[in-house]
Amino acid sequence: MVKELLENALDAGATRIEVTVAGAGIDLIRVVDDGHGIPPQQLPLAFERHATSKLRAARELPGVRSYGFRGEALPSVAAVAEIDCLSRTPERALGARLRIQHGRPAPLEPAGAPLGTTVEARDLFARQPARRKFLAGARGERAAIARVCAEAALARPDVALHLRAEGRAVLSTGGEGERRAVLRALWGLEPAETALSFSGARPEAGLRLTGLAAPPQHHRGRRDALRLFVNARPVTSRRLNYAVEEAYRELLPAGRHPLAVCFLEAEPGRVDVNVHPTKAQVKLADEDAAFSLIQRTLRAALLQAAGPRPLDPSPFTAAAAPAAAAFPLPAPSDPPGPEAAALRRATTAATPVAGAGAGAATALAPSPSPPPTPAPPAIPPLRALGQVGATFLVAEGPDALYLIDQHGAHERVLYERLLAAPAGPEARQPLLDPPLLELSAEQAAALAGHEAALTALGFELEPFGERTLRLRALPACWAPGDARSALLALLDDLAGPDRVPERHDPVAASAACHAAVRAGQRLEPLELRALLRDLERCLNPHTCPHGRPTLLRLSNQDLARRFLRR
């Protein structure tokens, strides 16, 4: 709905658009533009189905240049919400207002109005509970709205676009025509400032390409930062997206995805925009040429900036998961330094030490002593035997051998600590040097929906600008490490589609995931024992918050049988 209203505003020649949503768009969607408006006599007609075509002649159909040539957003919205539409054209001193309640229009009223159109939709799907039930959920809807607005800002950087969600500024662009300024709102300051410009053309195929791509040291765990536009229209194309991924081949760690935006311009006669109901896909006359143009142009720009040799992915892997470095381990050839030794000795402490500058706060520090009469343990006491592949722990129980996933086990430990932490100052550790966080639009939307939950867990966030925050404190169980990157990764997680079962707290589960040790991280014997002791105290030590198993049990009888012993 926001997408179609935005497209109508752009097709009306708007130079400034303001979008406001409340209740993830269910309670309120308001789109205000300064375009050419709707004449009063046409305002009721605009809300009639099949009556608002943007085509002036049939010959325009093969080369559609507007975003939505049918223009049926208004009747679609009016059928499922309460509508208040106010509009004024340049030649009139007075505008007109039309109110519609779930498809029933009220008489047209004259009204004072600024130039342009304001469409306000309230109480979405109030009379269609089945459709409201199957919406993506508040988090998913907020993320989708932020994504749609970001795509519009990228496609038309000459238009000032402002998005407010739940009273918070999520996206704001000035309309200066500079796409890099828009990317600062989407990717953050450093990736946008270091992004590489690239351009190319295939005249014989009627194609021209421009774009911006972040260097390989910036990457994401999802493909949501890879966007493709054809003639300023955001589209999806698995094949052309793969061309971008191919350009980054051997430059990114496995499982990571690039940050890039590609703007492909095609001659109107060589692209069909009518192959998809929402025009999310287009058909190019020569898709092979488009694939080659994107892959070769972007690859050349990346290699020119980074050199022809593929980059070593190891430092990028470490940067992608900064929270994993709760125990900074020295290189195998280096003797342990005094700071590392002190940190490992701290694993024997009873509780984590608050304060970023203390140097003894650790993610695997054992939990406080259990109460005098604890409930029966879910798993027996385990004796640490070692580590396999820097990923799995091997432990011995009274009558079985246990294999433990170190990341999943630590996730479970931190998840239960976060939920059990008391409210108030004791639940957080203040940072002596609070970092600044520059949020992307989707991260800001995620924060707007989860700020109260993050505060309850122990995060203390102080506004420091429109989309800039100062991180004052962390949950007591988080290792300070690179808290800035870890929290940004947490917001990225919360901005994505819901992946956590409803019986779990999604914010606490994501926070635990980003603070837990990672697969591939070697642990010292004291750290192994600390993790096992904490896992033994968990109410549910058998799965991580996302439902994956944390341990496997092989009984002594199973081992004997496998070795043909009776």
Side-chain angles (χ1 to χ4, degrees):
M1 184 177 294
V2 173
K3 178 178 184 292
E4 299 221 8
L5 293 177
L6 267 177
E7 290 175 349
N8 278 358
L10 291 171
D11 284 337
T15 61
R16 179 182 177 86
I17 304 174
E18 296 179 2
V19 181
T20 305
V21 297
I26 295 175
D27 296 339
L28 170 69
I29 296 174
R30 182 190 299 120
V31 178
V32 182
D33 70 65
D34 63 351
H36 53 59
I38 305 172
Q41 67 274 16
Q42 294 184 13
L43 195 54
L45 186 63
F47 288 89
E48 294 291 333
R49 292 186 63 80
H50 311 299
T52 57
S53 174
K54 299 176 184 178
L55 296 177
R56 293 181 175 86
R59 64 177 179 274
E60 296 179 8
L61 186 60
V64 172
R65 294 184 180 273
S66 65
Y67 281 100
F69 69 89
R70 291 180 303 163
E72 291 190 356
L74 296 181
S76 300
V77 173
V80 296
E82 295 183 3
I83 295 296
D84 186 344
C85 182
L86 180 65
S87 189
R88 181 173 73 84
T89 56
E91 65 274 8
R92 293 180 179 271
L94 198 63
R97 166 173 271 127
L98 181 65
R99 292 187 173 94
I100 302 176
Q101 289 199 350
H102 303 282
R104 298 178 181 176
L108 190 67
E109 304 172 0
L115 176 65
T117 303
T118 298
V119 179
E120 190 172 287
R122 293 183 179 272
D123 209 10
L124 185 64
F125 297 128
R127 297 189 180 182
Q128 293 87 14
R131 293 191 66 181
R132 178 179 281 196
K133 178 181 178 181
F134 285 97
L135 290 174
R139 189 202 318 181
E141 293 297 329
R142 275 191 295 265
I145 291 170
R147 182 173 60 252
V148 164
C149 292
E151 289 173 345
L154 280 173
R156 293 291 304 276
D158 57 319
V159 176
L161 196 152
H162 307 275
L163 168 64
R164 292 186 67 85
E166 320 304 338
R168 177 186 291 274
V170 173
L171 176 66
S172 183
T173 66
E176 298 91 352
E178 174 54 50
R179 286 194 169 107
R180 195 179 297 270
V182 180
L183 288 181
R184 293 189 197 105
L186 302 180
W187 295 351
L189 184 61
E190 186 177 352
E193 291 298 324
T194 58
L196 309 172
S197 298
F198 58 92
S199 62
R202 291 286 296 270
E204 74 282 4
L207 297 174
R208 182 174 179 271
L209 174 70
T210 58
L212 289 163
Q217 61 263 36
H218 300 288
H219 45 77
R220 296 268 176 93
R222 302 194 308 269
R223 291 185 174 89
D224 58 347
L226 199 167
R227 288 182 168 93
L228 174 67
F229 297 80
V230 175
N231 291 350
R233 184 189 306 276
V235 299
T236 59
S237 170
R238 294 182 63 183
R239 188 166 187 223
L240 297 185
N241 283 354
Y242 182 65
V244 177
E245 300 267 4
E246 272 291 287
Y248 279 86
R249 184 168 50 87
E250 297 179 352
L251 301 179
L252 296 181
R256 307 298 294 181
H257 304 284
L259 290 77
V261 288
C262 298
F263 302 93
L264 192 65
E265 296 178 20
E267 295 175 359
R270 293 175 179 260
V271 58
D272 185 358
V273 301
N274 300 316
V275 298
H276 192 273
T278 65
K279 298 180 177 52
Q281 300 175 12
V282 297
K283 183 175 179 60
L284 295 169
D286 193 344
E287 193 168 273
D288 290 341
F291 181 98
S292 174
L293 176 61
I294 293 173
Q295 194 271 340
R296 292 184 180 183
T297 304
L298 178 53
R299 181 72 174 181
L302 291 169
L303 293 182
Q304 182 178 3
R309 183 179 55 85
L311 300 179
D312 179 7
S314 56
F316 304 137
T317 305
F327 288 93
L329 302 177
S333 59
D334 298 331
E339 293 181 0
L343 191 56
R344 295 194 180 99
R345 286 196 298 272
T347 59
T348 59
T351 58
V353 179
T362 64
L364 299 186
S367 299
S369 300
T373 56
I379 57 174
L382 301 177
R383 182 170 69 91
L385 300 179
Q387 191 179 18
V388 177
T391 300
F392 305 102
L393 312 185
V394 183
E396 180 185 23
D399 59 351
L401 180 72
Y402 288 80
L403 297 176
I404 296 105
D405 181 336
Q406 65 190 38
H407 176 70
H410 198 206
E411 262 192 293
R412 166 54 60 178
V413 168
L414 294 179
Y415 177 74
E416 295 197 5
R417 283 190 193 174
L418 287 168
L419 293 186
E426 61 271 24
R428 62 190 59 171
Q429 50 176 324
L431 299 178
L432 298 181
D433 185 18
L436 289 176
L437 286 76
E438 177 97 11
L439 302 187
S440 69
E442 293 182 1
Q443 288 168 343
L447 179 62
H450 297 285
E451 187 169 11
L454 291 168
T455 300
L457 291 179
F459 292 95
E460 184 177 339
L461 301 169
E462 175 184 271
F464 201 78
E466 188 170 271
R467 277 190 334 279
T468 304
L469 300 173
R470 190 180 290 280
L471 179 57
R472 289 287 184 185
L474 294 172
C477 64
W478 260 43
D482 191 346
R484 176 183 176 278
S485 297
L487 182 56
L488 290 176
L490 169 58
L491 291 174
D492 279 338
D493 209 30
L494 295 176
D498 296 339
R499 294 181 296 174
V500 181
E502 291 182 357
R503 63 181 179 273
H504 297 303
D505 183 310
V507 180
S510 293
C513 179
H514 288 286
V517 296
R518 302 290 181 181
Q521 181 178 349
R522 296 200 173 275
L523 304 179
E524 296 295 327
L526 285 178
E527 298 165 355
L528 302 181
R529 292 198 289 272
L531 179 54
L532 292 179
R533 298 292 80 77
D534 286 341
L535 187 63
E536 292 165 10
R537 297 187 181 102
C538 288
L539 297 176
N540 176 18
H542 299 285
T543 65
C544 78
H546 302 89
R548 294 186 295 269
T550 59
L551 54 86
L552 298 176
R553 179 180 181 273
L554 289 173
S555 68
N556 291 344
Q557 290 83 358
D558 290 334
L559 291 172
R561 184 167 56 253
R562 289 175 180 264
F563 285 100
L564 303 180
R565 288 179 174 271
R566 298 296 179 188

